[in-house]
Amino acid sequence: MADALSNAPSQIISVTGLEWEALSPAIKVKKLWSDPGTRRRAQITRFEPGATLPMHRHAGDELLYVIEGAITDESGTVTAGNMSYRPNGCVHTVTCQGGATIFAIITGGSEPATAIGDAPRSQTFVLSDIPWVEGMAGMRHKPIWHDKETNRRALLGRFEPGAKIPTHRHVGDELIFVIEGASIDESGEVPVGDANYRPNGCVHSVWAKNGATVLSIVTGGVEMIKG
């Protein structure tokens, strides 16, 4: 088990330690993680008040969580604490009247567009409307989104103080963003506002000394390890 853990440890991503990069005068990003093989990447995006993304088409999809503020497109407004999914081919314009900070997982890129036409629309998930599902002792989750074709899914997980997931192996990968509290594994503590990437083959246990709420983006599943 020690060899497996040392070969594929989780990676703690200190968001506060990353530099902002300007996309435009009113929009900047912090690049957290990327996988060139699947063209997936994670980033924190900051929209200043009045910022606008011109109409564009997604060549790949995007899943985002609004940390603070609100952003709006032709399908509606996504407020703090809620999520949105932009499917492959989605065409929209994004505006931000009062400023916003978002956490996003993006696959592929985007290209300029001039009309929405019959393109798929973005979808909004109001997390307070999704019921909690009880899991193992001291844990529960909200299933938010699932792409059966790629076996990707997003869920909100809640650890009560002292709750622990026993040692397990990731078959596929996982990226978490800590919304409150702190998540801990053998690589260390991941405090609120930071992220943790668990690569395919990662073997670890996860616990929360004082409780935690995390957003989890998972590909594949896990295998529990006995002993």
Side-chain angles (χ1 to χ4, degrees), residues 47 50-53 70-73 93-97:
F47 292 80
T52 298
L53 280 174
I71 57 174
T72 300
D73 74 355
T93 303
V94 180
T95 60
C96 182
Q97 183 176 356

Side-chain angles (χ1 to χ4, degrees), residues 133-183:
V133 177
E134 297 296 330
M136 60 183 63
M139 296 188 61
R140 50 187 176 158
H141 69 275
K142 292 190 176 196
I144 302 166
W145 169 84
H146 186 195
D147 178 16
K148 294 181 180 179
E149 183 176 348
T150 60
N151 200 19
R152 290 178 299 151
R153 59 193 186 279
L155 56 90
L156 192 70
R158 174 63 195 172
F159 291 74
E160 298 303 323
K164 182 175 183 178
I165 302 176
T167 303
H168 57 280
R169 176 181 290 107
H170 284 264
V171 183
D173 63 6
E174 178 182 23
L175 182 70
I176 70 161
F177 178 73
V178 180
I179 295 172
E180 62 179 2
S183 172

Side-chain angles (χ1 to χ4, degrees), residues 63-85:
L63 188 68
L64 65 84
Y65 172 82
V66 178
I67 299 170
E68 61 178 0
I71 57 174
T72 300
D73 74 355
E74 289 81 359
S75 295
T77 298
V78 189
T79 55
N82 294 311
M83 296 187 68
S84 179
Y85 177 63

Side-chain angles (χ1 to χ4, degrees), residues 201-222:
C202 175
V203 176
H204 67 163
S205 53
V206 182
W207 64 97
K209 183 178 180 181
N210 297 309
T213 302
V214 304
L215 175 64
S216 178
I217 312 297
V218 184
T219 301
V222 299

